[in-house]
Amino acid sequence: MSSNLEIVKGIDDALVNEVKIKVNTQEESIKVLESVFLKKGMRSIQWEGDLEDEIEKDFDIKKWSKVSLLPKVLKEPQKFSDDDIPPFAREYCLLVAKSSQAPIEYLLMTLITMISSLIGKMIKVQPKKNDDTWIVVVNLWGLLIGDPSSLKTPMMNYILSFLDPHIKSRYDDFIEQNEAFQVKAKSINAKIKGIEERIKQAYKKPEKDFSLISRLERDLAKLELELKVNKPIEDRLMVNDITIESFLNILSQVKKCLLFFKDEYAGLLSGFSKKGRETERTTLLEAFNGNLSIRVDRLSRDDDYVEKAAVSMLGSIQPGVLNKYIFKSQRSGDGDDGFIERHQCMVYPELSEEFEYIDIKIPIEKSARIRNVVDKLVGLPDIIKDSLVLKFSDESQKLFIEWYESLFKKVRKKREITTKHLSHLGKYNSFMPSLALIFHICDCIDRNIDILDSTISKESTKLAIRWCEILEEHAIKIYGESDCKELVSAHTFLEKILNGELRQGYPVRQIYRRGMANLSTHSDVKNALKILEQHNIAREEKIYGTRGAPSYILDINPEVYDVF
């Protein structure tokens, strides 16, 4: 380079935020200058001298205009007010949400999903007054969506801890019963072995006594049946990571409903496509209804049969991962079977930008009302021997009819809503009655009212309708983000710039090669950069290597760090 080019601030291998250059000649190579400037990761270049405007024009130095904010993807859903929280859970949930500075939606969805699993098949709802062919089982599915720092897992643990004493008690009882059974089984197995040996010897004799063989085989079958019938059963309330074979076996022993809790849903969704696990998704989808029996035929062992399988699902996932799954299913059709849409208790709350350090002890008596409801629901099989079906009261029935007609008028205007939103709303016809029944049962337990002779109250029905309104807005946000993929990618790109993960001069192709959520393909990155450039946030710049082949690096407006 010419000695007439004076570097006022030295350029070394470290990233330099700003370099001032005094130029006295225009004879320098544009390509060389661009390579030096951009490879060194400069955020801006300031020229000194009378030729400032002309030099910038000749060297194609692009000035940044004022940064503008990215538009929000969609309108934020309504927040749950104090009145939207069921009375028995209001005080405790408000205290926990305030103490942890976490969205109260995470607590509420976990609570209602958990309670739905405790009611399960024991108490059902008949939404229509006269039509007794439509009976709804209230096994709800819940999904909490948020970034890693949004405290999804701690909020779920707060609520699920109400099950801990019951899970431990049932496990201890099972261990005690199983120990006694093993002693008895040892004696039975010895008898079985003796009979099997006698049958073997009987077949070896030249003159076979078939009447003896037949009697021995009947005795053997009786002993084997005795082992099977007397084997202790652990009536599980919840399962976590489990194979589908074990899941079906446990489900066949459950009296009410089984809560399938998977903290990180990403592993569950990705596992559906793995070899040997193809039936998992189908099995869970069938168990959503609560009224269908499942039978899986096996060659190597006994068939799996579950009478009227009922499962509640609960878990959490990051928005980028979910958007990627939804977008992929929409494009390929793979997995587009309504699995996500069945999660009616699905929320994606906005985290408040305000934060206040709070350190309070939550008195145990504040959780007493929730604990009372959970304890009574766990003991439902001891009170209700056969399943009970409740109906709406006369006032509630009018509210249901009005809401039901409104729902289907909206669903049939297909052109006004997306396919995913339409599929989600298609499950609401049973969702609202399920919520109304759950709220009613909890209120009866909380106020010590007899459930057996009751009808679903007007207050519980109104609250259920209100929840449907709020949760539909969450669904619109969730599915809308997958429909606005380019804007979501731009928001993700900006987030990674602000947290330092993507810096000035970063190779553009390395961004999508890393497989980051919402930025995993070349088109994801290109579309995001197009939007970011429109808002003067970032763009790609062409540079030339030693071989003359161009490549692209990230150029970030330095004002971004002051604006956001």
Side-chain angles (χ1 to χ4, degrees), residues 214-226:
S214 179
R215 180 170 56 81
L216 290 173
E217 287 178 341
R218 286 196 300 270
D219 292 342
L220 179 63
K222 288 179 181 179
L223 289 172
E224 288 174 341
L225 181 61
E226 186 179 353

Side-chain angles (χ1 to χ4, degrees), residues 21 25 57 112 163 165 241 270 283 313 319 442 452 532:
I21 298 177
T25 177
K57 180 180 178 181
I112 295 306
L163 290 180
D241 195 10
S270 62
T283 301
M313 301 284 295
C442 292
L452 301 179
L532 292 176

Side-chain angles (χ1 to χ4, degrees), residues 41 67 118 209 211 240 269 306 313 376 400 414 419 433 485 504 520:
V67 173
L118 297 178
D209 186 348
S211 63
N240 303 96
L269 296 177
V306 183
M313 301 284 295
K376 295 287 177 58
F400 170 74
K414 297 181 180 179
T419 303
K485 183 169 173 59
Q504 177 74 16
S520 59

Side-chain angles (χ1 to χ4, degrees), residues 103 106 143-147 150 152 315-320 322-323 326 340 346-350 474 477-478 481:
Y106 292 157
L143 185 59
L144 315 185
I145 303 166
D147 296 320
S150 57
K152 302 183 296 296
S316 67
I317 196 169
Q318 294 180 33
L322 180 61
N323 287 335
I326 294 175
I340 293 298
M346 182 166 61
V347 289
Y348 181 11
E350 180 79 359
H474 280 270
K477 175 184 178 182
I478 293 159
E481 286 207 352

Side-chain angles (χ1 to χ4, degrees), residues 312-340:
S312 288
M313 301 284 295
L314 176 65
S316 67
I317 196 169
Q318 294 180 33
V321 178
L322 180 61
N323 287 335
K324 187 175 180 180
Y325 175 83
I326 294 175
F327 185 71
K328 181 181 176 182
S329 68
Q330 286 176 324
R331 291 184 61 183
S332 65
D334 180 28
D336 193 16
D337 51 13
F339 183 81
I340 293 298

Side-chain angles (χ1 to χ4, degrees), residues 204-350:
K204 286 182 178 181
K205 291 181 179 181
E207 295 183 3
K208 298 175 178 59
D209 186 348
F210 287 105
S211 63
L212 174 63
I213 292 173
S214 179
R215 180 170 56 81
L216 290 173
E217 287 178 341
R218 286 196 300 270
D219 292 342
L220 179 63
K222 288 179 181 179
L223 289 172
E224 288 174 341
L225 181 61
E226 186 179 353
L227 268 182
K228 187 175 182 179
V229 170
N230 292 323
K231 186 177 181 180
I233 294 174
E234 183 185 1
D235 190 11
R236 300 277 292 274
L237 297 173
M238 183 173 69
V239 294
N240 303 96
D241 195 10
I242 190 172
T243 65
I244 196 64
E245 292 80 14
S246 297
F247 173 72
L248 287 170
N249 183 49
I250 293 171
L251 191 58
S252 66
Q253 302 169 3
V254 171
K255 298 176 182 177
K256 296 184 295 185
C257 176
L258 189 62
L259 177 60
F260 192 140
F261 172 55
K262 186 75 173 177
D263 187 3
E264 291 295 339
Y265 245 51
L268 180 70
L269 296 177
S270 62
F272 286 153
S273 58
K274 291 182 179 178
K275 188 176 180 181
R277 298 176 59 184
E278 297 84 359
T279 61
E280 289 185 14
R281 182 201 299 270
T282 305
T283 301
L284 291 172
L285 289 172
E286 290 174 349
F288 171 80
N289 182 276
N291 281 316
L292 297 177
S293 297
I294 299 175
R295 180 166 186 168
V296 180
D297 297 321
R298 309 286 183 187
L299 290 175
S300 58
R301 58 182 179 82
D302 292 341
D303 298 344
D304 291 316
Y305 177 74
V306 183
E307 184 179 3
K308 295 185 178 180
V311 173
S312 288
M313 301 284 295
L314 176 65
S316 67
I317 196 169
Q318 294 180 33
V321 178
L322 180 61
N323 287 335
K324 187 175 180 180
Y325 175 83
I326 294 175
F327 185 71
K328 181 181 176 182
S329 68
Q330 286 176 324
R331 291 184 61 183
S332 65
D334 180 28
D336 193 16
D337 51 13
F339 183 81
I340 293 298
E341 292 89 328
R342 281 168 168 77
H343 294 78
Q344 301 122 320
C345 292
M346 182 166 61
V347 289
Y348 181 11
E350 180 79 359

Side-chain angles (χ1 to χ4, degrees), residues 363-430:
I364 192 170
E365 57 268 20
K366 298 299 182 183
S367 64
R369 294 173 73 180
I370 295 180
R371 195 171 302 281
N372 176 54
V373 168
V374 171
D375 292 349
K376 295 287 177 58
L377 289 175
V378 169
L380 267 183
D382 299 327
I383 303 171
I384 303 172
K385 301 303 177 184
D386 297 317
S387 62
L388 175 69
V389 178
L390 295 187
K391 297 181 180 181
F392 288 107
S393 67
D394 290 340
E395 286 184 306
S396 300
Q397 192 71 57
K398 292 177 183 178
L399 290 173
F400 170 74
I401 293 171
E402 183 181 343
W403 174 86
Y404 191 76
E405 289 178 342
S406 174
L407 171 70
F408 276 91
K409 286 177 182 178
K410 182 186 296 184
V411 166
R412 296 189 178 189
K413 292 180 180 179
K414 297 181 180 179
R415 62 185 179 275
E416 297 183 6
I417 54 180
T418 65
T419 303
K420 285 286 182 182
H421 183 193
L422 179 67
S423 178
H424 192 87
L425 282 182
K427 310 294 185 297
Y428 268 41
N429 63 328
S430 61

